Amino acid sequence: MSEKEIMNNEGGMSQKDLIPEPVEITDALIAEHGLSGDEYVHLLEILGRVPSSTELGIFSVMWSEHCSYKSSRFHLKKLPVDGPQVIQGPGENAGVVDLGDGVAAIFKMESHNHPSYIEPFQGAATGVGGIMRDVFTMGARPVANLNALRFGEPDHAKTRHLVNGVVAGIAAYGNCMGVPTVGGETNFDKRYNQNILVNAMCVGLADTDKIFYSAAKGVGLPVVYVGSKTGRDGIHGATMASAEFDDETDEKRPTVQVGDPFTEKLLLEACLELMNSDAIIAIQDMGAAGLTSSSVEMADKGGVGFTMNLDLVPQREDGMTAYEMMLSESQERMLMVLKPGSEPAAKAIFDKWDLDFAVIGETTDTGRLIVHHKGEVEANLEVATLADSAPEYQRPYTKTAKAETITADDIPPTNNITETLIKLMSGPHLSSRRWIYQQYDHMVMGDTVQRPGGDAAVVRVHGTNKGLASTTDVTPRYCYADPYEGGKQAVVETWRNLTAVGATPLAITNCLNFGNPTRPEIMGQFVGCLEGMGDACRALSYPIVSGNVSLYNETNGVGIPPTPAIGGIGLIDDIAIQASLVFKTEGDVIILIGDTQGQLGQSLYQELQTGDFAGAPPSVDLSTELKHGDMVRRLITAQKVSAVHDVSDGGLLVAIADMAIASGLGAELRAAPDDIAAEAYWFGEDQARYVVTVPAENKDAVLTELQTAQIPANEIGVVSGSDLIIEGADSLAITQLTERFEAYLPNLLA
């Protein structure tokens, strides 16, 4: 048969009769592809024959944890994903929420953990590039990047190398793309020594009538490859990301992709230009599992088949096999299905932007993925079966035992509140991250309203007075001690951060980072965190619209703490009416909203005093969170408060210190109440609390409003001078505190 006959099946053979050459199967080959023996038997039952080498590779990546969610799907189905603001929930490249006036926010968070540990610069850079493609694939122009980074203990042998490489990779890609990196978080913990986390989030804006999806509906439509050429980088990247590390981790370096942000910038502009026409039927980023996952997902969602000729794929290396092309994770590539006849105009756009454009196949009515290369059929698989046949495991799990409540009596007391504050603010957990975020261009595009360093970043919805707020957060030590409470807290912390700038929280994305799910205690952490997240999202009307699961974050059987990172977005109706943590005026009264019991379990104060975290984390009452947050937002909208900051890591005194450092203004604070230990009052990490400042003339009205709403609130001090003065304690110059606060990371990483 000629190539044309093979592609068009003019030789009289049925599609199922085009059987590729089987590969010689060994146990080692099965293991090399990340499959268990039982999974390979399942593959044979589905296929009814021995697969070809290319087919084995396709099943390998499609059944990987990274692509199939085989250990998590059962529990992910329980999460709330709907709401009146939701245009598109999980299942597409990114989630979509309505901002009103014909504008939508498109956003997602994903992990690039394993690649970033093996090759920190390229791993982090391609993580940023991949998440931006997920967003602009759907028709959005990216307007904000965020990240959530977790490294090992500061004095670990690899920490400085990893931090420098990851930060440089994020900066290089985002800055070259011209997309501001506006927020995020960076934490240090010895439990990440062998498995760092690099979670990247991107937010974009699109017109609600110009959103693009991946379902390739229609027969006889051209399948088009655009972007960079295909190379051998990243082959088996999805499989590598679905396995734990061992002593041979560095040997996995070839599976790390190599990124080119300048090409991605061209790809972004070319795609958005083509999207202004009516040429595109469907579009999909070639991310994890490359051409395999993009073609299978597009065909499956559209209910069609794909026939592809890999001879036509633009290649940058000689002698590439079908196996290599189908599994390559080369960056900056897209797969499209276009309207027939639109190819010349589309090609002209990609030629203008100096990008490859190739028609490599067409949609069919066969429901099969048929891959040709050099006149041979290399794969012939039923799309629906391939898309839906991955095992769905309900892995056994054991719930984390409830820990005891820790009180101030269980922790050695501090002799000096002020000195304790300095130690906390100048250490690895709370010190300034300026050294990191100054390497990112957070002002490019000219719409950044609130920069990194506050509760949430805010960018203007271009051409309007609206503001889009975004934040990332999770407290892994809480999740380890009590997965359910920690899962709730991760969600409400982002909700409070958005609230603190005056935004109405809309929806979240997530990146669920856990260890080996085959260990019941790890699976118990996963289930507990998801239950807490789900309850919090339901209580706050704050649905999950996109996300990513990253499992097997372990080395030699030692896993990371459960880290369900949450990325939240919210809307400010008028950026002229927003809040920040910056003290505005001397004489403003400082009010603490929320009840303080002095919960010290899992607190940073506890670790400082004892060297470790122990006990139950602070409890989260969702009805209280909702009530307090809604009130704070009303106060901001009514312009009754001059500064706002939520109370989180480190407790009340740390929150006030944040506000003082941000403004350069000091505060005079009343002593702790008599019915609570001073350490518990100042450093307890009780939830549902905010520090607000109000002009003195508004104080009585604000306190009365809070009292009427039955919300605990107390006047605790006044903005004053340039020192932090606590009744009964040593005073502290804000300049001295700021100097120590800013010095830690530069000294560590210089």
Side-chain angles (χ1 to χ4, degrees):
M1 298 171 66
S2 69
E3 178 182 293
K4 181 176 177 61
E5 288 175 323
I6 291 173
M7 288 287 290
N8 295 326
N9 191 31
E10 293 177 356
M13 301 174 68
S14 73
Q15 294 288 340
K16 290 186 179 181
D17 290 334
L18 300 173
I19 306 300
E21 185 73 22
V23 68
E24 183 177 343
I25 296 294
T26 65
D27 290 343
L29 185 65
I30 294 170
E32 179 185 323
H33 282 76
L35 299 172
S36 69
D38 288 343
E39 286 174 342
Y40 181 68
V41 170
H42 180 44
L43 187 161
L44 291 179
E45 291 172 349
I46 291 170
L47 202 54
R49 57 179 172 80
V50 176
S52 70
S53 174
T54 301
E55 289 173 332
L56 181 63
I58 289 172
F59 272 102
S60 168
V61 293
M62 291 303 294
W63 285 10
S64 68
E65 289 281 3
H66 196 75
C67 293
S68 74
Y69 298 95
K70 59 189 175 187
S71 295
S72 57
R73 283 204 314 272
F74 176 78
H75 299 286
L76 293 173
K77 295 172 186 176
K78 305 172 187 177
L79 295 172
V81 298
D82 298 317
Q85 71 274 43
V86 177
I87 295 174
Q88 174 64 52
E92 271 292 340
N93 287 290
V96 187
V97 296
D98 194 349
L99 301 182
D101 300 319
V103 178
I106 299 180
F107 70 111
K108 191 180 182 184
M109 177 187 258
E110 278 205 342
S111 63
H112 234 222
N113 302 334
H114 282 32
S116 298
Y117 184 80
I118 296 169
E119 174 44 66
F121 182 93
Q122 289 295 348
T126 51
V128 172
I131 198 64
M132 281 196 278
R133 285 196 303 280
D134 281 339
V135 167
F136 74 74
T137 295
M138 298 194 69
R141 179 172 291 278
V143 297
N145 286 333
L146 299 91
N147 51 71
L149 312 177
R150 284 173 173 84
F151 300 100
E153 56 194 334
D155 58 357
H156 186 265
K158 292 194 72 169
T159 294
R160 187 162 71 170
H161 162 70
L162 291 169
V163 174
N164 277 290
V166 165
V167 171
I170 292 170
Y173 214 103
N175 294 356
C176 291
M177 282 290 292
V179 177
T181 300
V182 297
E185 54 177 342
T186 302
N187 296 143
F188 298 90
D189 186 314
K190 63 185 178 183
R191 292 173 290 182
Y192 299 103
N193 280 347
Q194 303 298 324
N195 287 88
I196 66 172
L197 302 184
V198 176
N199 296 170
M201 176 177 170
C202 182
V203 186
L205 295 172
D207 293 339
T208 53
D209 61 352
K210 280 287 186 179
I211 296 171
F212 292 81
Y213 299 94
S214 57
K217 296 178 179 178
V219 174
L221 307 176
V223 175
V224 178
Y225 172 119
V226 300
S228 290
K229 289 179 168 60
T230 293
R232 292 188 171 94
D233 52 321
I235 293 174
H236 275 302
T239 306
M240 179 269 290
S242 306
E244 64 182 81
F245 283 160
D246 53 30
D247 293 331
E248 280 72 52
T249 293
D250 283 346
E251 296 178 6
K252 297 176 180 177
R253 193 175 302 275
T255 60
V256 177
Q257 309 96 321
V258 177
D260 180 355
F262 297 104
T263 298
E264 177 136 331
K265 174 63 173 173
L266 301 178
L267 183 60
L268 163 66
E269 299 301 339
C271 286
L272 293 181
E273 183 175 341
L274 182 59
M275 287 168 174
N276 283 327
S277 71
D278 64 350
I280 298 175
I281 300 291
I283 181 170
Q284 175 78 31
D285 164 40
M286 280 193 249
L291 188 54
T292 288
S293 64
S294 55
S295 58
V296 171
E297 289 173 17
M298 294 176 80
D300 180 57
K301 290 176 183 175
V304 298
F306 269 30
T307 296
M308 296 190 297
N309 180 2
L310 300 188
D311 297 349
L312 304 174
V313 170
Q315 301 161 53
R316 69 165 185 259
E317 298 183 46
D318 294 333
M320 290 193 72
T321 65
Y323 180 100
E324 291 171 329
M325 280 186 275
M326 289 301 292
L327 270 62
S328 168
E329 294 184 10
S330 294
Q331 299 291 284
E332 294 86 41
R333 303 179 301 160
M334 295 280 189
L335 196 64
M336 298 179 176
V337 171
L338 302 181
K339 291 182 178 179
S342 66
E343 301 97 304
K347 184 177 187 302
I349 291 173
F350 284 87
D351 286 347
K352 182 183 77 171
W353 291 101
D354 198 23
L355 294 166
D356 279 291
F357 178 101
V359 179
I360 65 170
E362 68 175 11
T363 61
T364 69
D365 62 1
T366 65
R368 305 187 71 81
L369 175 69
I370 302 179
V371 177
H372 307 274
H373 186 226
K374 295 184 176 179
E376 300 293 333
V377 176
E378 295 287 348
N380 185 346
L381 302 168
E382 187 177 30
V383 168
T385 300
L386 184 59
D388 300 328
S389 64
E392 181 180 298
Y393 295 121
Q394 295 183 43
R395 298 197 185 276
Y397 64 90
T398 55
K399 291 190 174 183
T400 302
K402 287 290 184 182
E404 63 179 345
T405 300
I406 299 295
T407 69
D409 293 337
D410 300 314
I411 300 173
T414 177
N415 295 320
N416 191 314
I417 293 290
T418 303
E419 186 61 32
T420 298
L421 175 66
I422 293 173
K423 289 178 181 178
L424 286 170
M425 298 296 289
S426 61
H429 300 302
L430 298 176
S431 59
S432 172
R433 277 25 180 177
R434 187 184 305 273
W435 181 91
I436 294 174
Y437 66 70
Q438 279 194 331
Q439 298 186 51
Y440 309 146
D441 189 338
H442 45 266
M443 296 303 293
V444 68
M445 300 181 79
D447 280 321
T448 304
V449 178
Q450 288 205 37
R451 308 180 185 189
D455 284 304
V458 180
V459 296
R460 183 195 303 268
V461 177
H462 191 73
T464 75
N465 290 324
K466 293 182 178 182
L468 184 62
S470 55
T471 185
T472 66
D473 227 300
V474 63
T475 311
R477 62 184 188 275
Y478 293 175
C479 296
Y480 182 79
D482 187 326
Y484 177 71
E485 291 295 327
K488 286 197 295 183
Q489 196 274 341
V491 171
V492 301
E493 177 65 18
T494 65
W495 195 83
R496 285 199 302 264
N497 288 341
L498 297 170
T499 291
V501 298
T504 300
L506 293 176
I508 68 173
T509 183
N510 60 61
C511 196
L512 307 176
N513 309 274
F514 290 81
N516 186 335
T518 65
R519 293 202 285 136
E521 67 273 21
I522 299 298
M523 200 64 207
Q525 293 171 353
F526 184 84
V527 173
C529 284
L530 259 67
E531 288 175 349
M533 289 167 51
D535 284 352
C537 290
R538 280 182 282 270
L540 302 173
S541 300
Y542 192 38
I544 300 168
V545 298
S546 61
N548 169 238
V549 178
S550 174
L551 302 177
Y552 294 97
N553 291 288
E554 309 205 342
T555 296
N556 293 325
V558 179
I560 62 164
T563 311
I566 305 297
I569 69 164
L571 182 66
I572 298 174
D573 289 331
D574 184 352
I575 56 173
I577 304 173
Q578 59 177 303
S580 78
L581 53 71
V582 179
F583 286 153
K584 298 299 189 298
T585 307
E586 288 196 61
D588 282 356
V589 175
I590 303 172
I591 296 174
L592 172 62
I593 295 176
D595 186 39
T596 300
Q597 299 174 9
Q599 299 181 67
L600 289 172
Q602 300 295 322
S603 68
L604 297 182
Y605 171 79
Q606 178 193 48
E607 190 211 27
L608 181 67
Q609 295 300 102
T610 68
D612 206 354
F613 298 107
S619 57
V620 176
D621 185 289
L622 294 171
S623 61
T624 301
E625 292 284 358
L626 181 63
K627 184 177 182 180
H628 292 189
D630 287 350
M631 172 57 76
V632 168
R633 217 173 302 111
R634 286 198 296 272
L635 292 173
I636 294 170
T637 302
Q639 299 181 275
K640 294 179 180 179
V641 292
S642 49
V644 180
H645 189 22
D646 84 305
V647 181
S648 55
D649 272 356
L652 173 58
L653 193 55
V654 166
I656 294 170
D658 284 340
M659 301 173 85
I661 290 171
S663 62
L665 291 173
E668 294 182 16
L669 303 174
R670 296 176 179 178
D674 293 337
D675 60 350
I676 186 172
E679 298 93 337
Y681 178 73
W682 292 119
F683 302 117
E685 297 183 4
D686 305 71
Q687 302 293 292
R689 295 187 300 164
Y690 300 81
V691 175
V692 303
T693 62
V694 302
E697 61 271 20
N698 291 350
K699 178 193 72 172
D700 291 341
V702 169
L703 286 171
T704 298
E705 186 171 352
L706 290 163
Q707 183 179 19
T708 302
Q710 297 184 312
I711 293 175
N714 293 286
E715 179 183 348
I716 62 171
V718 63
V719 177
S720 176
S722 56
D723 294 344
L724 193 59
I725 301 171
I726 305 169
E727 185 180 349
D730 296 337
S731 64
L732 173 61
I734 299 305
T735 53
Q736 178 190 350
L737 181 60
T738 302
E739 183 179 341
R740 296 282 297 274
F741 175 69
E742 295 288 355
Y744 181 81
L745 273 190
N747 290 340
L748 173 69
L749 300 168

